[in-house]
Amino acid sequence: MEIRNAANPKDVKNYDTDRLREEFHISKLFTKDNIRMVYSHIDRIITAGLMPVYQELKLEGGKELASDYFLERREMGCINVGGKGIVTVDGTEYEMNPRDGIYIGMGNKEISFKSVNAEDPAKFYVSSCPAHATYPIVKIDITKAKKVPCGSVDDCNKRVINQYIHPEVIKSCQLAMGLTQLEVGSNWNTMPSHTHDRRMEVYMYLDMGENDAVFHMMGEPNETRHIIMHNEEAVISPSWSIHSGVGTKNYSFIWAMCGENQEFTDMDHIETKDLR
């Protein structure tokens, strides 16, 4: 598990490209029979990628979590972005087709992941944050996610937000998670920009070609920076930072939020003309 500390905006404005990527960018999320895990002290979110091919992979506790098992004091969400797989929670198997999601509450002990076909392995993208109460396990396939169409062709941001873990879909302590899909011809996300001081967010970009990129905008509204993102890479966004992006073509991204509340209207909007 890689540990990353919180970042002060007064310091971040002095970071060069390499330092920005070192602090906020997460690469190589999916490698064969491996768990890639980053623990951020920004609201203590864990971002992980698991790609079981020939082996079954297990989430475990340990020194970094000071826990006997992974979800002793945590909750988690998972979306499968690869081939068909299976998540097993305390002996119960959940089939995970491409784009299926699952919420697993605090207190579940044995959590493992495997692929159905090694030639087309599952890719499990996991977000986890601290929890104070236990809520039931819920499997959410993409057809059951709440779909929120928004944006327009004129603004180059016509998209559908699929809400998987959300107060209007299922109960969780503080985790929220979903998948946004941009339509062909649209390439902007989260524009006009906003911040939400009581929640941080992580984006994982996907459905991109080998030579495509998203220019992910971050930083304070008057001190913006960018990080170049490629397929199946994630970026950590502190609560004080904007989190917008523009791609070389349309793409999708998984968003995960945690923090003090789940009020989605609790945000500070920024006029585009005021960005610097």
Side-chain angles (χ1 to χ4, degrees):
M1 183 185 296
E2 180 184 346
I3 307 294
R4 304 215 186 160
N5 291 310
N8 188 313
K10 293 180 181 179
D11 297 329
V12 171
K13 69 180 182 180
N14 297 308
Y15 289 177
D16 63 10
T17 297
D18 287 341
R19 183 66 189 278
L20 278 174
R21 295 177 72 84
E22 179 184 347
E23 296 291 338
F24 303 109
H25 179 260
I26 303 174
S27 63
K28 299 179 181 177
L29 274 166
F30 303 107
T31 57
K32 185 175 71 172
D33 291 323
N34 185 55
I35 300 175
R36 168 80 161 115
M37 189 174 294
V38 174
Y39 180 116
S40 172
H41 281 285
I42 302 172
D43 283 317
R44 301 189 180 277
I45 196 168
I46 290 176
T47 300
L50 303 90
M51 191 173 79
V53 179
Y54 301 108
Q55 300 178 22
E56 188 169 359
L57 302 177
K58 297 181 180 180
L59 290 181
E60 298 178 335
K63 182 180 182 300
E64 294 89 350
L65 300 180
S67 65
D68 294 329
Y69 55 96
F70 188 78
L71 293 186
E72 186 173 348
R73 295 182 298 273
R74 289 183 157 268
E75 60 184 352
M76 62 169 275
C78 172
I79 297 175
N80 178 20
V81 299
K84 188 174 182 179
I86 295 172
V87 176
T88 304
V89 184
D90 289 339
T92 300
E93 291 189 348
Y94 298 88
E95 291 188 357
M96 300 286 288
N97 290 313
R99 300 299 194 265
D100 281 358
I102 190 170
Y103 169 80
I104 306 173
M106 181 181 71
N108 291 283
K109 293 183 178 181
E110 300 287 338
I111 304 168
S112 62
F113 306 79
K114 60 185 177 183
S115 294
V116 171
N117 181 3
E119 300 301 317
D120 184 21
K123 295 179 181 179
F124 297 103
Y125 180 71
V126 169
S127 294
S128 172
C129 61
H132 56 269
T134 298
Y135 292 105
I137 298 170
V138 181
K139 162 85 179 296
I140 318 116
D141 65 53
I142 194 167
T143 64
K144 295 178 182 176
K146 181 179 179 182
K147 299 186 183 305
V148 183
C150 53
S152 68
V153 173
D154 288 346
D155 291 326
C156 302
N157 66 355
K158 189 172 176 59
R159 63 202 188 277
V160 174
I161 302 172
N162 298 278
Q163 297 172 338
Y164 287 72
I165 302 172
H166 183 280
E168 296 183 22
V169 181
I170 66 167
K171 282 184 175 278
S172 67
C173 285
Q174 60 166 322
L175 180 65
M177 194 172 183
L179 169 67
T180 297
Q181 298 168 303
L182 276 72
E183 294 192 4
V184 174
S186 289
N187 56 355
W188 275 101
N189 77 70
T190 326
M191 182 62 76
S193 300
H194 64 256
T195 59
H196 26 71
D197 231 12
R198 286 146 294 277
R199 294 189 307 278
M200 63 84 65
E201 192 157 9
V202 176
Y203 280 5
M204 195 275 279
Y205 290 98
L206 68 156
D207 295 336
M208 298 163 60
E210 183 179 357
N211 203 36
D212 294 327
V214 171
F215 291 71
H216 179 84
M217 314 299 176
M218 65 160 296
E220 294 179 290
N222 63 346
E223 280 284 353
T224 59
R225 303 291 186 268
H226 75 268
I227 296 177
I228 302 281
M229 306 294 300
H230 295 289
N231 193 45
E232 296 179 349
E233 295 180 344
V235 60
I236 300 167
S237 179
S239 58
W240 46 262
S241 175
I242 67 168
H243 36 282
S244 300
V246 61
T248 53
K249 62 186 299 185
N250 66 307
Y251 51 91
S252 304
F253 64 98
I254 293 174
W255 44 269
M257 293 187 283
C258 68
E260 189 174 354
N261 67 33
Q262 294 178 317
E263 297 297 326
F264 282 74
T265 57
D266 182 12
M267 62 181 70
D268 296 310
H269 296 278
I270 298 142
E271 296 284 347
T272 303
K273 62 182 177 62
D274 294 329
L275 292 172
R276 291 181 53 194

